[in-house]
Amino acid sequence: MPPGCLAARRAQQAVIPEKHLFLRRGIVIMFGLTGINSGERLNMRNMIAVFGHRGARGLAPENTLAGFRLASCLGLTGVEFDVGMTADNVPVVHHDARLHPDIARNESGVYAGADAPLIRALTYQQLATYDVGRLRPGSAYARRYPGQQAQDGERIPTLAKVLTTCASLDLLVEIKTAPDRPDITHTPSELVEQVSRVLGAAKSSENAGLIAFDWRVLDVAARRAPSLRRGCLTDANTVCQARLWFGDSRLDAHEPEKPGSVPRTVASTGAVIWAPDHKTITEADIAEARRLGLAVIPWTVNDPDDIQRMIELRVDGMISDVPDQAKAMIAARGIALAAPGFVSRLRM
């Protein structure tokens, strides 16, 4: 067994609080699916998808090939990751618009700091000189992820390399742009064009969902890459500033039937996934989303109590920094993990 998978096996032995170790039968989890017969629907019951957030950020350096290899060994449904683009138009997997001051080290071992350069300002060759395999010791960011095992020498990977590493997994691909700071990244059109091209070249489009907080990205994707499944990310801030973040969609567009409905606004975009902040969703939200044919996949679900709540709410999936724990808690409830292929079966 490869060393990475040995580490994954150890990671799966995480301790789960005793109060969560009980079973509940007969929970129907999977919705938003078409093209399957009634027998298959019965087999799809009692399942939840688990996506490793930025690979498996709680266990390995985020958005690195080491993290994605670990996620593959954990036997998850898939992974979620972020995409930006370099000055020479290479899509790369990295969360922030700039190099992270507590992650990226230059060739001298010095962390980037607050004045770190923008990803879009560096060529890929320049970007590849930074080591992103170890969190800055003593930083608040490092304290948030005490279980993350450093992997010195990890570099920011290209999207193409990540797709090769995660070929067996489903993908939630988040394009990072900000409508309030349009100058810090490439445009939604430029990013959608390059990301869809790389997904197509890797034959990864069918098992990928393109997601974004900035719904302008999804508007562009609907026109230029209509075969890609799309998903809307939301949190309290973007809902409060919907006119900024929701692109051409309007929260008040459903009056008088259901003014201000986030699930209805998501559905109006043609998206098949709603990925809300787990802290913001209610049972009523999920019921409405389900009636609209949306798969509900909240982020970032890490605390055992939060994982338990998502199971109780019957979400379709969850995105987690500790996907090993989420997977174990789901299994402890007698619920099956959705296998890769989950995304490809979401209705278009």
Side-chain angles (χ1 to χ4, degrees):
M1 182 181 293
C5 288
L6 286 172
R9 178 168 287 181
R10 296 189 196 102
Q12 284 182 290
Q13 297 171 350
V15 176
I16 303 171
E18 184 177 352
K19 66 179 178 176
H20 296 303
L21 295 179
F22 59 92
L23 305 180
R24 175 170 294 180
R25 304 291 183 180
I27 300 178
V28 179
I29 300 297
M30 297 293 293
F31 293 84
L33 302 167
T34 62
I36 57 178
N37 61 38
S38 59
E40 287 177 306
R41 284 184 185 279
L42 289 173
N43 291 333
M44 294 297 285
R45 291 177 181 177
N46 213 28
M47 293 185 184
I48 297 179
V50 174
F51 294 86
H53 184 234
R54 305 186 196 176
R57 179 170 58 168
L59 306 173
E62 67 180 69
N63 284 333
T64 62
L65 295 184
F68 293 120
R69 284 192 293 266
L70 176 59
S72 296
C73 291
L74 287 171
L76 309 176
T77 311
V79 290
E80 181 273 354
F81 54 82
D82 315 280
V83 179
M85 197 156 68
T86 63
D88 48 345
N89 295 329
V90 178
V92 293
V93 175
H94 188 263
H95 179 268
D96 296 347
R98 298 180 182 275
L99 288 169
H100 196 294
D102 292 330
I103 297 177
R105 288 174 287 162
N106 66 18
E107 293 172 292
S108 299
V110 178
Y111 282 88
D115 60 346
L118 291 168
I119 300 299
R120 70 164 300 177
L122 300 174
T123 66
Y124 182 68
Q125 185 176 8
Q126 291 172 320
L127 193 66
T129 64
Y130 288 87
D131 188 326
V132 292
R134 181 181 294 271
L135 297 176
R136 183 196 294 265
S139 66
Y141 202 66
R143 289 192 293 273
R144 285 174 59 187
Y145 305 104
Q148 186 183 114
Q149 298 298 306
Q151 297 280 342
D152 291 328
E154 285 295 311
R155 300 302 196 242
I156 295 171
T158 65
L159 173 59
K161 288 183 179 178
V162 171
L163 297 182
T164 299
T165 303
C166 300
S168 64
L169 297 175
D170 281 3
L171 311 168
L172 296 179
V173 182
E174 180 183 351
I175 288 184
K176 303 298 291 190
T177 56
D180 54 341
R181 291 168 295 162
D183 58 320
I184 66 173
T185 69
H186 288 271
T187 67
S189 294
E190 291 166 340
L191 281 158
V192 168
E193 178 182 357
Q194 294 300 325
V195 169
S196 60
R197 177 186 61 79
V198 175
L199 285 170
K203 300 189 182 337
S204 297
S205 299
E206 186 64 17
N207 65 319
L210 191 69
I211 61 176
F213 281 104
D214 181 357
W215 293 9
R216 295 178 305 160
V217 169
L218 306 177
D219 293 338
V220 172
R223 297 191 301 270
R224 299 193 181 179
S227 63
L228 276 176
R229 289 169 175 81
R230 302 183 303 281
C232 297
L233 283 155
T234 60
D235 63 15
N237 177 61
T238 62
V239 171
C240 286
Q241 300 184 68
R243 289 183 180 272
L244 177 64
W245 287 94
F246 283 15
D248 293 334
S249 303
R250 295 278 300 278
L251 262 178
D252 57 2
H254 306 289
E255 295 180 327
E257 184 178 5
K258 188 94 176 185
S261 165
V262 175
R264 284 186 178 274
T265 311
V266 170
S268 74
T269 70
V272 299
I273 296 168
W274 177 32
D277 180 351
H278 72 89
K279 298 185 294 294
T280 66
I281 56 173
T282 66
E283 187 172 1
D285 290 331
I286 292 173
E288 182 178 22
R290 195 145 293 144
R291 286 193 298 271
L292 294 164
L294 297 171
V296 181
I297 308 176
W299 59 272
T300 301
V301 192
N302 295 337
D303 183 83
D305 287 332
D306 294 328
I307 295 171
Q308 184 65 24
R309 178 172 174 262
M310 294 302 102
I311 295 171
E312 293 285 348
L313 285 174
R314 304 184 182 186
V315 295
D316 297 292
M318 61 183 85
I319 301 166
S320 179
D321 287 323
V322 284
D324 56 327
Q325 292 185 31
K327 180 182 174 183
M329 289 184 64
I330 289 166
R333 292 291 299 271
I335 300 170
L337 180 77
F342 167 86
V343 169
S344 68
R345 303 185 79 174
L346 298 177
R347 70 106 176 97
M348 291 285 285

